[in-house]
């Protein structure tokens, strides 16, 4: 840069009398409120001093039914969607860095794990937190915007006791990193995510590569896991719906305990939709408890023997029900034969 270069401030015109013509007093009040909101990071302070966070987006989402998806995606079968320019209609009004902050929606589970003394109970709570991190994706068929390289997002929640910062650390491939810590110093939650997307004709599959780590300072423990696969169905025709599938392994590197969760695919008749089953084993690979439920509703933890006995009863009940249906159908056919025989005899008697 040459020393002869001169820089000038932009002329705003606020000091001119002409700029005030046609400006109402209400617009000045709006400007003052806007500046005050900027100083408080967009949160308007209430009378009691507590910041009020918004509970809805400023504009409603428009319908995607008026757009032809096939005309855009028919040339993208088998390709990675991060390298394809997509229309904005497929996006939701959020950056992926903002979407990461939804991991902390159930922070109370981490705080509960910090207060538990038994390692198996802590693993159960951490497993529930890992499942809750994907629960926000239910019925979320929109794609978040790809952040720019070096873009950051910061969030501080005094009411939930944490602060978070996320950053786009790579553009090709797109990799996002995040770091969350407790305001009280109880835990640290960090990781990196590389959402690899692929289009398979009727669906879009997302493989969230990257390792997630949770550290509990009080117990000097570190847990690591990866998220399951995510798939959005009926991209071309029909109602969009989402499912999670794959195996998630949560490892406690301090005690050697492991939790294996199997997110089951929907199947042909939708019987296994949203179902999660797994178990917790100690360092000697002995099953301590079984975890089951739905990632859209709730999770349960029971003794392995009780769970196996319940499964056997379920299978036996299904078998008994099938036998009852077969027996009832046989009885009905026999009864119908008797009725037909009586009607036949009556017919011949009348004749």
């Amino acid at each position: 840069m040459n020393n002869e270069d001169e820089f000038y401030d932009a002329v705003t015109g606020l000091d001119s009398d002409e700029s005030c013509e046609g400006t109402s007093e209400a617009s000045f009040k709006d400007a003052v409120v806007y500046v005050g909101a900027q100083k408080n990071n967009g949160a308007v302070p209430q009378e009691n001093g507590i910041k009020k966070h918004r509970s809805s987006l400023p504009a409603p989402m428009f319908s995607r039914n008026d757009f032809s998806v096939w005309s855009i995606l028919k040339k993208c079968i088998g390709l990675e969607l991060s390298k394809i320019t997509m229309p904005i209609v497929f996006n939701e009004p959020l950056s992926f860095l903002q979407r990461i902050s939804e991991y902390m929606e159930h922070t109370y589970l981490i705080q509960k794990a910090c207060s538990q003394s038994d390692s198996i109970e802590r693993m159960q709570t951490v497993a529930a937190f890992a499942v809750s991190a994907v629960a926000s994706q239910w019925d979320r068929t929109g794609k978040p915007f790809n952040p720019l390289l070096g873009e950051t997002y910061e969030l501080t929640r005094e009411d939930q006791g944490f602060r978070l910062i996320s950053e786009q650390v790579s553009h090709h491939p797109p990799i996002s990193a995040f770091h969350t810590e407790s305001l009280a110093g109880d835990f640290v939650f960090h990781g990196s995510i590389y959402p690899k997307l692929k289009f398979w004709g009727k669906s879009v599959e997302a493989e969230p590569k990257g390792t997630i780590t949770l550290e509990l300072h009080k117990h000097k423990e570190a847990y690591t896991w990866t998220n399951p696969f995510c798939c959005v169905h009926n991209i071309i025709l029909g109602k969009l719906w989402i499912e999670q599938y794959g195996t998630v392994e949560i490892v406690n590197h301090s005690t050697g305990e492991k939790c294996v969760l199997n997110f089951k695919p929907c199947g042909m008749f939708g019987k296994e939709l949203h179902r999660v089953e797994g178990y917790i084993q100690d360092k000697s690979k002995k099953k301590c408890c079984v975890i089951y439920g739905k990632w859209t509703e709730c999770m349960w933890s029971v003794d392995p023997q009780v769970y196996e006995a319940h499964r056997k009863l379920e299978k036996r009940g299904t078998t008994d029900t099938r036998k009852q249906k077969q027996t009832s159908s046989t009885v009905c056919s026999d009864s119908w034969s008797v009725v037909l025989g009586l009607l036949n005899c009556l017919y011949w008697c009348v004749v």
Side-chain angles (χ1 to χ4, degrees):
M1 182 180 294
N2 298 328
N3 295 329
E4 297 178 357
D5 294 340
E6 296 181 358
F7 296 90
Y8 299 91
D9 293 333
V11 178
T12 59
L14 293 178
D15 296 333
S16 174
D17 295 336
E18 297 178 356
S19 63
C20 296
E21 294 181 0
T23 305
S24 62
E25 183 181 354
S27 63
F28 282 106
K29 291 181 180 180
D30 294 339
V32 172
V33 173
Y34 176 73
V35 172
Q38 279 188 329
K39 292 181 180 179
N40 292 282
N41 295 326
V44 181
Q46 304 300 301
E47 295 180 357
N48 55 2
I50 299 178
K51 295 179 181 178
K52 182 180 179 181
H53 298 275
R54 69 181 185 182
S55 57
S56 61
L57 295 175
M61 182 61 187
F62 51 84
S63 175
R64 297 188 177 95
N65 297 329
D66 300 331
F67 299 89
S68 175
V69 184
W70 178 244
S71 62
I72 301 169
L73 297 181
K74 62 183 179 181
K75 299 180 181 179
C76 308
I77 298 178
L79 300 179
E80 186 179 347
L81 292 185
S82 61
K83 299 180 181 179
I84 301 169
T85 303
M86 302 293 292
I88 197 173
V89 68
F90 298 112
N91 291 84
E92 60 179 6
L94 287 176
S95 168
F96 187 74
L97 299 179
Q98 293 175 280
R99 187 82 175 256
I100 291 177
S101 65
E102 297 178 6
Y103 275 53
M104 306 304 296
E105 185 175 355
H106 302 278
T107 314
Y108 69 92
L109 292 172
I110 303 180
Q111 297 169 348
K112 180 180 179 180
C114 293
S115 62
Q116 292 175 323
S117 58
D118 184 68
S119 61
I120 299 297
E121 293 181 356
R122 289 195 298 271
M123 177 63 83
Q124 293 175 355
T125 309
V126 172
F129 174 76
V131 173
S132 70
V134 301
S136 64
Q137 299 179 14
W138 183 35
D139 226 12
R140 297 277 292 278
T141 55
K143 176 182 176 295
F145 284 95
N146 292 330
L148 299 175
L149 180 62
E151 180 181 343
T152 60
Y153 174 75
E154 298 182 36
L155 175 65
T156 302
R157 294 293 299 268
E158 295 88 350
D159 55 338
Q160 296 188 14
F162 73 89
R163 56 173 169 259
L164 174 145
I165 181 170
S166 54
E167 180 180 357
Q168 190 73 3
V169 296
S170 176
H171 188 60
H172 287 297
I175 301 177
S176 305
F178 67 94
H179 181 89
T180 308
E181 60 183 21
S182 169
L183 297 179
D186 296 333
F187 65 87
V188 171
F189 181 55
H190 57 89
S192 60
I193 301 177
Y194 167 27
K196 192 174 182 180
L197 305 179
K198 283 190 177 182
F199 175 61
W200 296 111
K202 295 183 180 179
S203 61
V204 174
E205 183 186 63
E207 180 184 0
K209 292 185 176 181
T211 303
I212 299 174
T213 304
L214 174 63
E215 300 178 14
L216 304 181
H217 295 324
K218 179 180 178 181
H219 305 284
K220 298 180 180 180
E221 293 178 339
Y223 300 83
T224 59
W225 68 88
T226 57
N227 285 328
F229 285 77
C230 178
C231 187
V232 181
H233 293 272
N234 293 340
I235 295 294
I236 306 303
L237 184 65
K239 183 180 178 181
L240 295 174
W241 61 280
I242 191 171
E243 71 168 331
Q244 309 272 356
Y245 53 84
T247 302
V248 175
E249 291 188 359
I250 306 173
V251 181
N252 186 339
H253 296 274
S254 300
T255 62
E257 296 164 348
K258 180 188 295 186
C259 177
V260 180
L261 297 175
N262 182 21
F263 287 73
K264 295 193 172 184
C266 174
M268 184 174 296
F269 302 102
K271 183 180 179 181
E272 304 292 335
L273 182 62
H274 305 327
R275 290 195 63 180
V276 182
E277 287 186 5
Y279 57 87
I280 296 176
Q281 64 181 22
D282 55 18
K283 59 182 180 181
S284 61
K285 297 185 178 181
K286 178 184 177 182
K287 289 186 180 181
C288 301
C289 62
V290 172
I291 298 178
Y292 70 98
K294 291 187 176 182
W295 59 269
T296 56
E297 297 177 3
C298 61
M299 301 294 295
W300 304 88
S301 177
V302 296
D303 183 82
Q305 297 179 355
V306 175
Y307 183 75
E308 292 298 330
H310 177 69
R311 290 295 299 271
K312 290 180 180 178
L313 287 175
E314 276 189 343
K315 291 181 180 179
R316 187 180 302 172
T318 305
T319 305
D320 294 342
T321 304
R322 291 177 180 175
K323 288 182 178 179
Q324 287 179 0
K325 289 182 178 179
Q326 292 176 357
T327 305
S328 60
S329 62
T330 304
V331 171
C332 290
S333 61
D334 294 341
S335 301
W336 185 242
S337 300
V338 173
V339 172
L340 289 176
L342 292 175
L343 289 175
N344 194 19
C345 293
L346 181 63
Y347 172 78
W348 285 108
C349 290
V350 171
V351 173

